[in-house]
Amino acid sequence: MKPKIKKYSKNSIQLASRSLLNGSTIILPTDTVYGIAALAGNKKAVEKIFKIKKRPKSLPLIIFVKSIKDAFKIAEFSPLDISLATKLWPGPLTLILKKKKTRIYNGDKRLSKIGIRIPKNKAVLTLLNKIKKPLATTSANLHQEANARKIDNLKILENKNVDIAIFSNEKMSFKESTLLETSEKEVKIIRSGQINKKIIRKVIKSHGYSHKIK
């Protein structure tokens, strides 16, 4: 195992927290794929992710938060958004929401929307509770490269701007989160993922909504 890779523990969370607060990027396990993360409130740190991945800024990062309450601070939720978040978070659902005027960076500064979720992964949630700040994240692969299933195979581990990579035995699906955006009359699935139409429809109907799913 490469030197940067540390098994999930109280000590590795402490090291990862320190790296993030110092403006570095880290690699971490999630419920979907390995991710690369930086403090969402640190513009320079977020920009490092785009450089490391060679990813266009027009493709925004997803923001991880530790609670719905924290998500409310950075985005505007409709009643339906709240219902979906309450039922399906933590989990592989990313809600695309209108961004509030806060210092949260996820890509091109002209972007008016932001993708947010609470991941269902103990290591990430422990880290989020430790730093008490949102994380800007995306998959830990080079742009347009396939996601590696083994942490040792991540090419971006070699980048000097990646301080630490946390390894955990918790199961990952290696399937992306579902990207979803709601409006007054419909729910639009922007990217298919683990949360399918059947699950979404069940939540919508159980809360008395008649939105169409596209």
Side-chain angles (χ1 to χ4, degrees), residues 99-195:
K99 188 177 179 181
K100 286 185 176 178
K101 289 185 178 180
T102 56
R103 294 194 177 189
I104 295 293
Y105 304 97
N106 63 325
D108 191 321
K109 63 182 180 180
R110 293 171 295 181
L111 296 170
S112 61
K113 294 180 181 178
I114 195 165
I116 303 178
R117 78 181 184 99
I118 303 174
K120 194 175 183 179
N121 179 278
K122 189 176 179 180
V124 181
L125 290 173
T126 301
L127 181 61
L128 285 165
N129 278 287
K130 175 77 175 173
I131 61 175
K132 294 180 171 54
K133 296 174 185 292
L135 291 174
T137 70
T138 183
S139 55
N141 58 328
L142 295 174
H143 183 54
Q144 296 185 328
E145 176 190 55
N147 288 307
R149 286 178 171 261
K150 292 185 178 180
I151 196 167
D152 300 74
N153 295 336
L154 295 174
K155 292 179 182 177
I156 65 173
L157 266 174
E158 307 301 326
N159 195 291
K160 65 180 181 180
N161 287 309
V162 176
D163 269 11
I164 183 175
I166 296 178
F167 167 77
S168 139
N169 290 322
E170 198 166 347
K171 187 179 178 182
M172 289 190 284
S173 66
F174 292 99
K175 188 175 182 181
E176 295 175 312
S177 66
T178 300
L179 263 61
L180 184 153
E181 185 174 7
T182 69
S183 63
E184 286 186 13
K185 294 183 179 179
E186 68 178 31
V187 171
K188 186 177 180 181
I189 297 175
I190 296 170
R191 182 181 75 190
S192 297
Q194 289 184 70
I195 305 294

